[in-house]
Every structure is written in structure tokens, then in C-alpha cells.
Amino acid sequence: MSDPFLIGRCALVTGSTSGIGLAIACALGAAGARVAVNGLGSPEQIAAALDAVRAAGAADVSHFGADLSDAAAVETMMAEVAAWAPVDVLVNCAGVQHTAPIAEMPAATWDKLIAINLSAAFHTMRLSLPGMAARGFGRVVNIASVHGLVASVNKSPYVASKFGLVGLSKVAALEYAGAGNRDSGGVTVNCVCPGWVETPLIEPQIAAKAQAAGGDRDAGVRELLREKQPSGRMSLPDEIADLVLWLCRRQSHNLSGAAIPVDGGWTAQ
């Protein structure tokens, strides 16, 4: 049985219509929070995401659409969410990726990735943290990446945005470290930095490696991870969500400014 320790709280999760974001939204809902879902998708996909969060046990759930590359649209969304319920838990999970060498990276692509992966988180944080501080409780969890801790070739805007997100989170953690107290739970800002996570997005890569391994899916996963992730196994979205959920507990009031790798030893090398 879930522990409904977030009853009376409101959580906003960007990028939560699928994948890791949806798993996080469901976990927060299962803990009793009202959940503001943000993300792309067809009307059917969005409805399915809302149904999943509702079925998980959320006190209430609603979708708030916004083009996260547009600062004005983010501001509008934040005002709409605040009118629905003050944000106590903010999870910035929305992210986009594009691979190309620096010399071949389109300038417009750089601008888009920085806007969605980094600037959108800045705007959601600046608009929600003061209210959290005033209430004595708040949790910001930014889903960065192992690429917020180490680099890979052909991922310049993604790596830059994720390193920036880790740095931004540390600054915010320092600025709000004194808000609230142990009893209220305080205000914390942390990053979770996943390595390989098993989502539908990477299933084609797994399938290709598995086919080369004679149809053995586990062997395909190990081959895909061989170069980077020593554990040879991926994380599941629900496992990332469990970590986010723990960071939202009152007991985590003194864990702030961290960038927590969930990467099977990738960054230990």
C-alpha cells in the first residue's frame, strides 16, 4: 500500500505524458498529491496519461499544455497551475535531444534544446520557489542526465543544457537552503542524473542489438550498454520515480544541491 504523505500537496511534472515523466507523475499521485501534467501528445495520449495518474491514486489531475521553448508560454502555464493549486513539488523532466558534431549542429537546434532543457526549468523554478519558501515546504527535482556529469561526442547542446541544469540547481539549493525548517520540511533542490533508462524511445536500439545477438534481448541490452554503463542493465522509469518520491519526503530536508547519478557505475569510471 502506498504511503499518501503528499496529501494536500500539488506537484507539477513537465514532460509527463510518457516515459520517465509519466512514471514520476504516477508515483506522486500514488502518494496522494494533486498532479499537474505537462507534455506533448495526441489528445488520446494525453487522456491516457491523465487516466494513469488518476488510477495511481492522485487526489486530482489536470493537463497544462505549454510550448516549453517559449518563456511567455511557460509563464502562462505557471499562472494557470498556481490558480489550480500552489505548486509544492516541481519536477522538470521535459527534454529533447539531437546528435551531430558541433560544426554541423544547426544553430536553431542549439537554441531549442537550451530553451527546453534548461531555460524552461529556470522559468518554472523562479516562478514556484518563492511560494514554496513562504509555505516552508518545497521540492524541486530536476531530471538532468548522466550527461550533466560527463560528456559524450555529438551531443553539445544536450550536454551543455544538462551541465547547466545541475549548476542552476546548486545555485537554487543555496539560495533556498534556509527556507522552512525540519518540521515543515524545508525547500530542497536536487538533480537526478539517469544513465540508460528502459523507455519505448530506445526500444528500437535494443531490438537492433538483440537481432545481432541472435534474438537475445538481454544480450542486446548488454551490448548497447557495454561502452558506458558497467552494470550492463538499464534502470526502469519506476525506479527513477521512486528516487524522486524519496526526495520529496520530509526526511530528505537536508539533502539539497545534489546531482544523484543512477547510471550503473558510468560516472565512477
Side-chain angles (χ1 to χ4, degrees), residues 219-230:
V221 168
R222 288 193 298 272
E223 178 59 24
L224 186 62
L225 273 57
R226 178 177 57 81
E227 180 184 356
K228 299 285 190 180
Q229 193 149 309

Side-chain angles (χ1 to χ4, degrees), residues 26-87:
C26 287
L28 294 170
R34 301 179 73 183
V35 182
V37 169
N38 160 267
L40 302 175
S42 67
E44 294 77 17
Q45 289 172 319
I46 292 170
L50 295 177
D51 287 345
V53 178
R54 193 175 293 112
D60 195 5
V61 60
S62 186
H63 179 257
F64 295 86
D67 177 358
L68 296 184
S69 67
D70 181 346
V74 176
E75 288 197 3
T76 297
M77 177 188 72
M78 295 303 292
E80 292 172 348
V81 174
W84 184 64
V87 174

Side-chain angles (χ1 to χ4, degrees), residues 15-216:
S16 56
T17 51
S18 64
I20 297 171
L22 179 55
I24 292 169
C26 287
L28 294 170
R34 301 179 73 183
V35 182
V37 169
N38 160 267
L40 302 175
S42 67
E44 294 77 17
Q45 289 172 319
I46 292 170
L50 295 177
D51 287 345
V53 178
R54 193 175 293 112
D60 195 5
V61 60
S62 186
H63 179 257
F64 295 86
D67 177 358
L68 296 184
S69 67
D70 181 346
V74 176
E75 288 197 3
T76 297
M77 177 188 72
M78 295 303 292
E80 292 172 348
V81 174
W84 184 64
V87 174
D88 300 299
V89 175
L90 169 65
V91 182
N92 286 300
C93 189
V96 290
Q97 169 69 290
H98 182 82
T99 58
I102 290 174
E104 299 171 17
M105 185 69 67
T109 299
W110 169 275
D111 291 342
K112 179 180 178 180
L113 264 69
I114 295 297
I116 294 174
N117 295 358
L118 177 57
S119 297
F122 163 74
H123 293 303
T124 58
M125 290 166 66
R126 72 177 177 84
L127 293 167
S128 58
L129 278 165
M132 293 178 183
R135 295 186 295 276
F137 175 85
R139 294 291 184 268
V140 177
V141 183
N142 292 320
I143 307 302
S145 167
V146 66
H147 284 116
L149 302 172
V150 294
S152 292
V153 298
N154 299 333
K155 296 183 179 181
S156 54
Y158 189 78
V159 170
S161 66
K162 295 302 186 178
F163 265 75
L165 188 57
V166 170
L168 171 65
S169 301
K170 289 179 180 293
V171 172
L174 290 172
E175 291 184 359
Y176 287 89
N181 53 49
R182 184 187 295 114
D183 292 334
S184 70
V187 177
T188 67
V189 184
N190 291 290
C191 284
V192 173
C193 301
W196 285 95
V197 179
E198 194 167 326
T199 64
L201 188 65
I202 62 170
E203 195 60 38
Q205 297 178 65
I206 296 174
K209 296 291 187 181
Q211 185 176 11
D216 184 337

